[in-house]
Each structure stands twice: as C-alpha cells, then as structure tokens.
Amino acid sequence: MIELKRTANRIRQDVVRMIGEAGSGHPGGSLSAADIVTALYFNEMRHDPARPDWPDRDRFILSKGHAVPVLYSAFMEAGYLSRDLLPTLRKLGSPLQGHPDRRTVPALEASTGSLGNGLSIGLGYALAARLDNRDYRVYVMMGDGENQEGQVWEAAMWAGYQKIDNIVAIVDYNKQQLDNWVAKILDLEPLQAKWAAFNWHTIVIDGHDMSQILAALRQARETKGKPTCIIANTVKGKGVSFMENNVEFHGIAPTPEQVKQAISELEREAANLG
Amino acid sequence: MATRDAYGKALVELGRVNPNVLVLDADLSKSTKTNLFAKEFPGRFIECGIAEANMVGIAGGLAAAGKIPFVSSFACFLMNKAFDQLRIAVAYPKWNVKVVTTHGGISIGEDGPSQQSVEDYALACALPGFVVTSPADETSTRALVLRAAEHVGPVYMRTGRPRVPIIYPDKNELFEFGRAKRLLDGGDVTLIGCGVTVAECLKAAEALAQSGIRARVLDMHTLKPVDREAVAAAARDTGAIVCVEEHLLDGGLGSQVARAAAELAPVPMEFVGIIDTYAESGTPDELLEKYGLTAPHIVRAAERVLRRKK
Ligand SMILES: Cc1ncc(C[n+]2csc(CCOP(=O)(O)OP(=O)(O)O)c2C)c(N)n1
C-alpha cells in the first residue's frame, strides 16, 4: 500500500514536470486521476510491459484523453516507455502526443481526446473477450464533464442490457470541467442513481484513498452479470495546493516557478509517507 | 489578433444591436471567446455542456422559433460530433443557424490530431444550402460575422487559434459572401487561399516576384458559394492556379475552385494542403511547415504549375 502511494506521488511529480516543460497541457485532471491510474497499473491489472500486444492483457482506456501525462508517467514507471522521453511531451516528433495516440505509443489502447468515445471502444474490447473466451478485463476512465456526452449513455445502456461484466467504468468525479464547476455548467446529479438506472453496479469511493480504490476494483471483479461503475470523488489538481479546485489549471501549464513549488510540496508529501 | 478573438468581439458588437442573437457553447467558451458575449449578455448565452450534438439540435429549434443562434465549439467537435444534427436540424429544414467554430486546422498546435480539424470545410460544403466561410484576419472575421447575422439561412465559419497578421488594414473594408478579394495582381499565376493560408500566399507572391514571376493573390474567404467569376478570370488572365488550404486536399477549397475552373476555363492547377493524413503535436509554425502549408511550399507549387502552363 505504501509503495502504491509512493508511486502515485512520483507520477504526480512527473505530471507537473512534464506539463511544465511542455508549456501546455492539462495538469488538473491528470493529478485527480493519479491514484486510480496507479492502482490499476501497479496492482489491479494483468499486463506485461515486455508484451504490450499480449492478447490476454487487461485493457485501460483513458477516455478523458487530455489527462494523458498521468498515463505516460505510469508507462515510464512500468517500463513501457523510457524516462528519457519525459521532456519531449507535446514536441514535434515525440511519441508523447498531446492526447493519447496509438500510432506512436502502442501501449495506449485507444486514441482519445474527443470526449465521449472511450466507453464504447472499451465495450468493443470487452465484447471481443467474451466472443474469444478470454478472461481479460477492461477499465475505462471518464471525466465528470465527459459524462455530459450522449454517447456515454448510449454505451451505458447497451452495456447494462448486455450484462457486460468484464468492463469497469471509472468516473473521475473532480467536480470541475473546462469552463467552470460541473454543477454550474450541467449538473450530473444524481449521478450514482443514473448509472444504477442503466443497470450498472455502482460503487462510490474517495478516489484518493488507496485502500478504497483497491477494494472497489476487487468488488468490481467479483460482480457478475452487471458492468460496474466506480464513481470516484476526487479533487482536481490533487496534491498541489495552488492547483487544487482551481479551474484555471484545467488546461494551463505551470510556470517554472510554479513547477518548483509544486515539486517541493509533493516531495514533502513523499517524505511524510515515510 | 487571432480570428477567434475577432469572432468573440464581433459577437458582442452584434449582441448590442440585435437582441435576437443568442450564443450557444459546449464548455469551451474560454477558448472560443464566446465568453465575451456571455459576460455582457448572460441571459442570451446558453451553456450546453460537453454535448455538441444536443447543442446543435437546440440551435435548430431556436432558429425555427425565430431566434438567430450562433453555436460554437472547436471545429473538430462541432462538425464531427454534430454532423447529423447539422443535417436534420439545420441544413435540411434550412433553419437560420450560424455555426462558428474555432481552432480550425492544424495550427492549434500541441494538443494534436484529436483536437485539430482537417475536414471541416468538406463537411460544411456537403451541407446543402450552407454558406461556408474561412476568414483570414480580424477585419474580415468581423465583417463576415455581421454579414452572417443578416443573411437568412445557415452559415458555417471556421476561425483559428493562433494570432494572424492583418490583411485588411481598413477596418471598414466591405465583404460579401461569394465575392473573393483580389489582394495582389499579376499575370503569371494565381494563388488562392483562405484562412491562415492567405498570409502565406502573399509571402509566396513576394518570393515569386524576386524571380520575376508575377502572381495574383485571391482571398477566397467564402468557399461556398465559391466566387466562380473570380476563378474564371484568374484562369483566363493568368493561365495557372494554385489553391492553398489548411485542410485535407479532399473536399475543401481546392475542390470548390477546381470545379469552377474545370467548368468555366480549365487551366493547369496545383493543390497545397494536407495529404491524406492526420497531423501531430508541435508548435503551430512547425506543423504548418511540416505539413507543407507555408510560403516556400506554395512557391514550389507555383513553379510546378508554371512548368505545366502552355
Ligand atoms: C467532444 C469534446 N468536446 C470538447 C472537448 C474540449 N475539452 C477538453 S477537456 C474538457 C473538459 C473535460 O472535463 P472533464 O471530463 O470533467 O475532465 P477533467 O475535469 O477530469 O479534466 C473539454 C470541454 C473535448 N476534448 N472533446
């Protein structure tokens, strides 16, 4: 558990450094997703960095593709990508494209960035597993703002009806989107009841509490006959004081000065972890 | 100033004189600059959330009820996500919706292909009855936005993210849909651009002049209806045409101009644009260079077309 927390902390540092170096990007939604992505890649998922095309690997799709720095960092931690790439994010010729691009990083299961697409693609993978008698599982992370896209609910309805139980939808419920708070743009509430009404098993957790994340993923694995939606209450910008709940940091890179401050805060947090 | 900024400012101007104008956005008002209108006219700004298809449908209904809705998002999301609604709730019933997108083309830069738009001209041109525009600078953007509000019927306008040079220093320059602007005259070849490529065509014309080639330059700010007379005159007067667009070579400016030329006065043509691919992340300038849309590429295309000219 402590190791996972340390990993999440390192990933947060990478995210801040990468986006700072790039001069553009989306720190807020990357930081809110860091604990869940860590739990998936370093505890829950069956995968092998030596074989990104292993047919029986579990799949993760980052449907909120703008948060891709968190995934690049996890890929570096896991060994899919070299750490040397870190300063190349968003630069011409780099495999680290501004949004997930399967053409350049094959470990990405989908090219996303246009919100709303990920869950449907995940259902395709999940259905293929069923057709091929494979037991891999599929995880799709969406933004809360992203839940406003109609396609999400087309996918949700289909999965519930088809009882696709090898898929887990995770909503990074950080309460903010691009222009404002979700509740001020187009409120999702009652969100759990919506997913439940589409015949999903629902679990509401604190998305920064590692033991709750692991427990929810375990419960999802044990849930048969229904897809599972984990609604993870999170904080946008989590871990960096001046980014937390600050909608300005949805899509703005930190200055070099702010990177320094953020890293020192995260290092202090790491020290406190022991 | 970027053409998206000019759009935001023009909307406010329009809002002050026309109470019937409404603005709809899908969680991108900070980027599309419709936030300027939202600030001044909160009651006439409709935030739709990240739900472009629904937004366009709502706009259709508003227009049917007599409003003049302007709908905005990035070009890629609005045109691609809401294309069926653009057909069924706008083009087919001929409802009076103004579709103004920002972040057109690849010059949005670092965000990469999922946010870049390389197909919006083609999609918009494939909507019967739509006027399709792509202004090059702030003066033309403002004029065409005001014109769009007066025009009865659907209009598409693509604006861009990066700052662009001023092409029309006279802020009161008049623009009509379907009437190209002749920015430079010459008898050897015609360069036709729209949007960000107009400035590149002017640079290319300057470079060509160095080697004694005199180019005519047209700003084809309206792709549809294309200015057939200007195309025919260009063909007759210069005998060679180069079309330059920040778009796939399929179905955009080049297609519109080529059809007019083929029907009225066929001459050798070359086409500068993105060739059958999505682009990538990079700075706007790097991408325009890599994908062949800058002045040196236009010069080479002009040289090619001149060799083919009888
Ligand atoms: C279809 C589509 N519309 C608009 C955008 C532009 N956009 C990028 S991120 C974003 C807000 C996303 O909010 P949310 O899903 O809550 O993500 P998070 O807050 O976790 O970053 C928007 C509107 C997009 N990427 N895709």
Side-chain angles (χ1 to χ4, degrees):
Chain A
M1 184 77 71
I2 185 80
E3 207 32 66
L4 287 174
K5 287 183 187 172
R6 284 201 195 102
T7 304
N9 178 281
R10 283 197 301 276
I11 287 178
R12 285 198 165 90
Q13 296 194 35
D14 281 353
V15 162
V16 170
R17 283 204 187 91
M18 247 190 272
I19 298 176
E21 182 74 33
S24 66
H26 301 82
S30 302
L31 293 170
S32 65
D35 298 298
I36 294 162
V37 167
T38 301
L40 285 167
Y41 275 91
F42 302 99
N43 187 276
E44 172 69 13
M45 280 169 44
R46 179 172 74 198
H47 68 115
D48 178 1
R51 285 188 292 165
D53 57 353
W54 180 24
D56 287 317
R57 71 191 183 281
D58 289 342
R59 270 75 165 170
F60 174 68
I61 293 175
L62 185 65
S63 191
K64 42 171 270 184
H66 55 280
V68 71
V70 74
L71 197 48
Y72 291 148
S73 174
F75 284 180
M76 289 174 194
E77 283 282 332
Y80 287 104
L81 289 173
S82 157
R83 291 201 68 80
D84 300 343
L85 290 169
L86 201 137
T88 71
L89 176 70
R90 293 177 157 247
K91 306 244 162 89
L92 189 72
S94 170
L96 306 191
Q97 293 285 295
H99 288 75
D101 190 330
R102 231 175 111 72
R103 302 175 306 176
T104 56
V105 178
L108 293 165
E109 304 289 359
S111 297
T112 54
S114 174
L115 295 166
N117 278 285
L119 188 57
S120 303
I121 298 171
L123 287 172
Y125 277 120
L127 180 63
R130 192 189 261 188
L131 295 171
D132 292 345
N133 277 318
R134 293 186 189 274
D135 66 351
Y136 65 78
R137 297 176 57 71
V138 181
Y139 302 85
V140 179
M141 179 183 271
M142 289 175 285
D144 42 16
E146 185 177 11
N147 270 238
Q148 293 159 352
E149 281 287 356
Q151 184 184 355
V152 170
W153 301 99
E154 295 180 19
M157 191 184 302
W158 190 84
Y161 174 65
Q162 293 284 347
K163 303 183 171 43
I164 308 284
D165 58 9
N166 56 341
I167 195 159
V168 182
I170 304 165
V171 180
D172 183 2
Y173 201 1
N174 59 31
K175 318 292 185 297
Q176 292 190 337
Q177 49 192 105
L178 188 146
D179 271 335
N180 211 330
W181 294 85
V182 175
K184 292 204 173 143
I185 296 232
L186 175 54
D187 197 8
L188 302 173
E189 288 300 331
L191 185 59
Q192 183 183 11
K194 284 193 177 72
W195 283 93
F198 281 71
N199 291 326
W200 287 58
H201 175 60
T202 57
I203 311 170
V204 178
I205 60 165
D206 173 347
H208 300 305
D209 180 325
M210 199 51 85
S211 60
Q212 288 191 37
I213 300 170
L214 298 183
L217 291 169
R218 196 177 324 118
Q219 196 188 107
R221 217 180 317 123
E222 286 158 4
T223 301
K224 301 295 172 205
K226 267 186 172 198
T228 295
C229 176
I230 299 174
I231 296 169
N233 287 307
T234 55
V235 173
K236 202 151 173 174
K238 176 71 179 177
V240 177
S241 61
F242 57 91
M243 291 186 182
E244 286 190 2
N245 291 319
N246 179 356
V247 81
E248 289 308 312
F249 277 102
H250 166 79
I252 299 229
T255 63
E257 209 38 58
Q258 289 172 325
V259 170
K260 243 186 255 161
Q261 190 189 333
I263 296 295
S264 80
E265 286 183 19
L266 288 165
E267 280 172 346
R268 220 172 311 134
E269 182 201 284
N272 289 339
L273 287 174
Chain B
M1 185 185 290
T3 49
R4 63 169 164 153
D5 292 304
Y7 168 53
K9 285 175 58 184
L11 273 183
V12 173
E13 199 181 326
L14 201 53
R16 289 182 188 147
V17 296
N18 192 336
N20 224 9
V21 167
L22 305 176
V23 176
L24 292 79
D25 202 301
D27 192 28
L28 277 168
S29 70
K30 265 190 292 202
S31 304
T32 61
K33 303 300 171 189
T34 61
N35 62 346
L36 301 176
F37 184 95
K39 206 164 152 226
E40 188 156 336
F41 307 103
R44 286 151 61 193
F45 175 78
I46 299 137
E47 172 57 74
C48 296
I50 311 172
E52 297 78 6
N54 185 51
M55 173 170 74
V56 171
I58 291 173
L62 286 167
K67 305 292 180 193
I68 306 178
F70 278 71
V71 287
S72 291
S73 179
F74 285 12
C76 58
F77 305 134
L78 208 162
M79 295 310 286
N80 293 289
K81 290 248 182 204
F83 195 70
D84 187 49
Q85 288 70 26
L86 287 167
R87 288 182 83 221
I88 299 303
V90 184
Y92 181 25
K94 298 189 166 69
W95 280 338
N96 192 24
V97 176
K98 317 301 168 184
V99 181
V100 183
T101 66
T102 66
H103 296 64
I106 59 176
S107 58
I108 74 154
E110 292 81 355
D111 271 343
S114 68
Q115 328 282 302
Q116 294 165 350
S117 177
V118 295
E119 65 278 78
D120 54 312
Y121 294 161
L123 291 168
C125 286
L127 290 164
F130 260 70
V131 169
V132 179
T133 67
S134 183
D137 79 342
E138 56 184 271
T139 306
S140 49
T141 300
R142 172 181 173 272
L144 291 169
V145 168
L146 300 182
R147 185 75 198 82
E150 289 164 11
H151 175 83
V152 180
V155 174
Y156 176 70
M157 178 183 295
R158 174 213 272 199
T159 67
R161 174 173 183 264
R163 267 202 290 273
V164 284
I166 290 174
I167 308 284
Y168 303 98
D170 175 4
K171 301 247 179 274
N172 296 316
E173 176 100 25
L174 297 177
F175 290 81
E176 280 302 319
F177 290 146
R179 294 291 298 278
K181 287 281 181 189
R182 191 184 296 186
L183 300 175
L184 203 66
D185 209 2
D188 297 325
V189 60
T190 302
L191 312 178
I192 304 181
C194 63
V196 299
T197 64
V198 172
E200 293 302 316
C201 286
L202 286 170
K203 277 189 235 164
E206 230 171 83
L208 287 165
Q210 306 278 310
S211 34
I213 299 166
R214 291 170 45 83
R216 177 177 295 184
V217 174
L218 297 183
D219 172 4
M220 195 64 75
H221 52 76
T222 305
L223 287 81
K224 188 183 147 194
V226 78
D227 188 341
R228 290 166 63 85
E229 278 168 36
V231 172
R236 287 192 203 103
D237 300 347
T238 72
I241 296 175
V242 178
C243 293
V244 191
E245 59 193 309
E246 190 192 13
H247 188 271
L248 288 171
L249 282 184
D250 307 282
L253 175 71
S255 304
Q256 295 291 331
V257 172
R259 198 180 103 222
E263 287 173 357
L264 300 174
V267 291
M269 292 184 69
E270 290 280 331
F271 302 91
V272 176
I274 300 161
I275 304 172
D276 204 28
T277 187
Y278 295 103
E280 63 194 287
S281 295
T283 66
D285 288 342
E286 284 170 343
L287 294 178
L288 291 174
E289 177 55 35
K290 177 163 180 182
Y291 289 87
L293 305 178
T294 51
H297 296 276
I298 301 171
V299 167
R300 284 197 286 280
E303 289 164 354
R304 283 197 304 274
V305 84
L306 283 169
R307 284 197 292 276
R308 292 170 51 206
K309 189 174 153 183
K310 302 277 159 19

